[in-house]
Amino acid sequence: MLRLSRSSISEESAWKAAGVELPKFNYEQVAKNTLVKPEWVHFGAGNIFRGLVANAHQKLLDSGKADTGIIAAETFDFEMIDKVYKPYDNLTLLVLMNARGDFQKKVVSSIVEGIAADKNRGADYSRLTDIFENPSLQMASFTITEKGYSLTGPNGQYLGIVEKDIENGPEDPTHVMSIVTSLAYRRYLKGIYPMTFVSMDNCSHNGDKLKNGVVTVAKEWAKKGLVEDGFVAYLEDENKITFPLSMIDKITPRPSETVQAALLEQGIGDMDVIITSKNTYTAPFVNAEISEYLVIEDKFTNGRPPLEEAGIIFTDRDTVNKVETMKVTTCLNPLHTALAVSGCLLGYTLIADEMKDGILRKFVETIGYTEGLPVVVDPGILSPKQFLDEVLQERFANPFIPDTPQRIATDTSQKVGIRFGETIKSYIRRDDLDPMELTAIPLAIAVWCRYLLGVNDAGKLFTLSPDPLLETLQGYLYGISLGDHASNVRAILQDENLFGVQLYEIGLGEKIEGMFHEMLAGPGAVRKTLEKYLK
């Protein structure tokens, strides 16, 4: 039985017999180089990093276009380092799966150190400090989720952990933004060396969020006299420090037990799914779709690896924004949300299964091709039509990517304005288009309102996904049951903060209300209404 470790992968023939591609570079030399002249540290040791970013860098190492590895630092769930990195010598078994069920297996070895960014682990923290004090460091990248950049709670006040960090100063940080600011301060004191901080998280204007987090902490420390005055100026000097924007897109879901079983069958053992005490689902393997996109604003102050040689796109700020807009408002996210809320109502638990349902497929094809493409923002470096084709034909239909409508339905109230409202606004702005001609997008909004009742199309109660406005929105619909002919859905539809547009002023409010009431007729009315408008 094969087990993932440095000594085991030296038995090349056994791994090749199991269909696994192995690293082609001299690991010992790369590890030695990285120890002396670290160039890249990455915060957030999870699946998207291991499955996309580390794999891209491996391509450079394999082809001799890089000679140092990546140092992975975890700031939230230290068990990632203890249970997934160290026991497997920082290796990852990457399993890429297409919709036909073909598996591509590869050992990713570009991560040469796994560090817990924890002040209580002296050796790890000391190494992290050394890395930031070294003039060779080119960049720190991040996949820490959007929440990782937030310093304040819903009330606009600093989080307790951040308040404590502001009091304690750079010597004792806990929040990830404070840790990063403290390390940047060590770099400033050592030699005012340049470097670049790259957020690779799947959120809009990610680089600006990262910059805001770091600069805000630095300013609070400066106010208290805890850091030198020149530190804030250093962070804001674009000749020294930059925070480029990026757009990332690759589905790397929780480890699949089907994949684990398949690996075992092929003679690869010790691939247990690990659930940490912080509820991270992880494993020595990462299962992921083949499709991937990483577009980065090319604004680096101390050099960077030639990642364009590994399929990563470098461009200007405006183009990164356009790619993001294309994906989020037209070619992916609106379709995901429509499938999420309709899937929950129709009893689906897998996005791939929804794509086999003719009416749901027609639903998202209409939102994407018929209603979205006429107003899509074309970034010029990617074809919106090809991107959409791939989403619908390969990505959503892939049964080996266990993505659920319930997961995607989370926080929908925070998303409808971007995912549907932006297309409606584009129709309003265009003289040759009429928002009243839209059908599938109004229908998606009506389906979401119907979803908020928490009663599926069979008339049974189901649990709604978490959403910060759930209580308020459900309050408007309180007491409504199937068969009712009236409701207070207007209170939701006329909320411009939700949709970014006055739906009643443009005539869509009544249209959506009508669709919503049709879905209340009784069990089976959601499907009937979808069929009526989409057939």
Side-chain angles (χ1 to χ4, degrees), residues 246-528:
S246 74
M247 190 288 293
I248 195 165
D249 184 26
K250 186 181 184 74
I251 299 171
T252 51
R254 286 177 175 179
S256 154
E257 284 170 5
T258 313
V259 172
Q260 183 193 0
L263 293 172
L264 199 56
E265 212 171 279
Q266 290 154 3
I268 304 167
D270 197 12
M271 286 281 142
D272 295 344
V273 176
I274 297 155
I275 305 167
T276 70
S277 55
K278 289 197 170 171
N279 215 34
T280 304
Y281 282 70
T282 184
F285 66 92
V286 169
N287 43 240
E289 63 174 347
I290 287 175
S291 303
E292 60 183 29
Y293 297 90
L294 179 52
V295 182
I296 304 175
E297 178 185 2
D298 201 358
K299 202 160 86 174
F300 290 75
T301 57
N302 198 31
R304 62 167 176 79
L307 287 161
E308 61 273 30
E309 309 271 349
I312 288 169
I313 298 170
F314 288 90
T315 183
D316 57 49
R317 188 178 183 85
D318 188 42
T319 306
V320 177
N321 271 327
K322 283 179 175 172
V323 174
E324 172 80 19
T325 304
M326 176 198 81
K327 176 194 152 192
V328 170
T329 68
T330 312
C331 293
L332 193 150
N333 297 31
L335 319 184
H336 237 172
T337 292
L339 285 175
V341 290
S342 56
C344 291
L345 287 171
L346 297 176
Y348 284 103
T349 54
L350 267 188
I351 291 289
D353 288 342
E354 288 191 69
M355 293 302 288
K356 295 176 196 158
D357 183 322
I359 206 67
L360 293 181
R361 180 175 268 280
K362 182 78 187 295
F363 192 16
V364 288
E365 284 174 351
T366 308
I367 291 172
Y369 292 118
T370 312
E371 298 181 351
L373 281 186
V375 294
V376 72
V377 172
D378 186 344
I381 56 167
L382 295 171
S383 154
K385 164 77 166 59
Q386 281 174 0
F387 187 92
L388 189 53
D389 289 344
E390 188 180 42
V391 163
L392 291 171
Q393 290 160 30
E394 168 71 31
R395 301 178 67 185
F396 285 1
N398 190 337
F400 302 97
I401 301 299
D403 218 352
T404 69
Q406 291 73 20
R407 180 188 78 82
I408 294 154
T410 304
D411 300 342
T412 301
S413 70
Q414 310 300 294
K415 301 167 181 172
V416 284
I418 299 291
R419 297 185 178 189
F420 303 124
E422 288 304 311
T423 296
I424 295 169
K425 280 186 206 166
S426 298
Y427 272 71
I428 295 166
R429 282 194 295 267
R430 286 264 293 266
D431 293 336
D432 59 330
L433 295 170
D434 179 359
M436 279 302 288
E437 286 174 7
L438 293 168
T439 299
I441 286 174
L443 191 56
I445 295 170
V447 171
W448 174 55
C449 294
R450 170 66 182 78
Y451 159 89
L452 290 168
L453 289 183
V455 176
N456 70 18
D457 201 26
K460 294 190 169 65
L461 294 173
F462 70 93
T463 304
L464 294 171
S465 302
D467 190 307
L469 295 182
L470 211 47
E471 215 174 296
T472 308
L473 296 166
Q474 285 199 292
Y476 293 134
L477 302 174
Y478 182 73
I480 300 173
S481 51
L482 298 190
D484 289 352
H485 298 291
S487 75
N488 190 24
V489 75
R490 180 177 281 254
I492 296 172
L493 297 176
Q494 65 192 12
D495 185 345
E496 194 176 350
N497 291 331
L498 277 179
F499 301 101
V501 63
Q502 278 287 1
L503 293 172
Y504 285 92
E505 270 181 25
I506 56 172
L508 277 182
E510 288 83 357
K511 185 173 185 172
I512 297 166
E513 222 177 300
M515 291 167 162
F516 172 77
H517 285 127
E518 287 177 56
M519 290 185 224
L520 285 182
V526 173
R527 185 172 286 280
K528 270 192 198 126

Side-chain angles (χ1 to χ4, degrees), residues 43-252:
F43 291 91
N47 286 352
I48 190 123
F49 162 61
R50 294 158 73 207
L52 193 169
V53 183
N55 184 37
H57 194 59
Q58 170 126 329
K59 292 172 191 171
L60 299 187
L61 290 166
D62 280 345
S63 61
K65 288 170 181 148
D67 63 358
T68 61
I70 308 177
I71 299 139
E74 179 55 41
T75 56
F76 171 70
D77 194 340
F78 303 134
E79 284 175 58
M80 281 291 295
I81 301 299
D82 300 336
K83 293 182 175 176
V84 186
Y85 276 66
K86 291 194 169 142
Y88 300 93
D89 299 335
N90 302 319
L91 296 166
T92 295
L93 181 61
L94 177 59
V95 183
L96 299 176
M97 303 169 291
N98 66 21
R100 292 177 300 284
D102 304 324
F103 282 23
Q104 294 174 18
K105 302 186 293 291
K106 175 180 187 178
V107 172
V108 176
S109 170
S110 59
I111 304 163
V112 297
E113 293 175 60
I115 292 176
D118 176 4
K119 288 292 291 189
N120 300 317
R121 301 193 188 199
D124 276 17
Y125 209 84
S126 167
R127 171 64 180 147
L128 206 46
T129 305
D130 288 348
I131 291 161
F132 270 80
E133 288 182 343
N134 197 317
S136 66
L137 183 64
Q138 296 180 331
M139 71 162 158
S141 54
F142 298 79
T143 49
I144 56 173
T145 77
E146 190 165 1
K147 290 188 181 103
Y149 304 99
S150 292
L151 300 177
T152 54
N155 58 2
Q157 305 295 307
Y158 283 132
L159 300 167
I161 183 179
V162 175
E163 276 186 350
K164 205 181 275 184
D165 282 350
I166 289 168
E167 286 304 313
N168 293 342
E171 292 311 307
D172 193 18
T174 307
H175 187 282
V176 57
M177 289 295 101
S178 315
I179 289 169
V180 171
T181 311
S182 162
L183 291 164
Y185 187 51
R186 295 295 292 255
R187 186 168 185 81
Y188 165 79
L189 291 175
K190 192 75 179 173
I192 318 185
Y193 301 130
M195 70 172 288
T196 294
F197 293 86
V198 190
S199 169
M200 295 178 177
D201 273 297
N202 185 14
C203 54
S204 192
H205 296 280
N206 48 18
D208 296 341
K209 287 184 167 72
L210 172 56
K211 181 175 186 176
N212 179 61
V214 170
V215 171
T216 301
V217 172
K219 283 180 173 171
E220 292 289 359
W221 285 344
K223 263 191 238 168
K224 293 182 175 298
L226 298 169
V227 295
E228 289 183 11
D229 288 344
F231 178 49
V232 174
Y234 163 73
L235 292 174
E236 291 182 325
D237 178 356
E238 291 208 333
N239 293 313
K240 294 287 182 190
I241 303 290
T242 49
F243 298 86
L245 300 185
S246 74
M247 190 288 293
I248 195 165
D249 184 26
K250 186 181 184 74
I251 299 171
T252 51

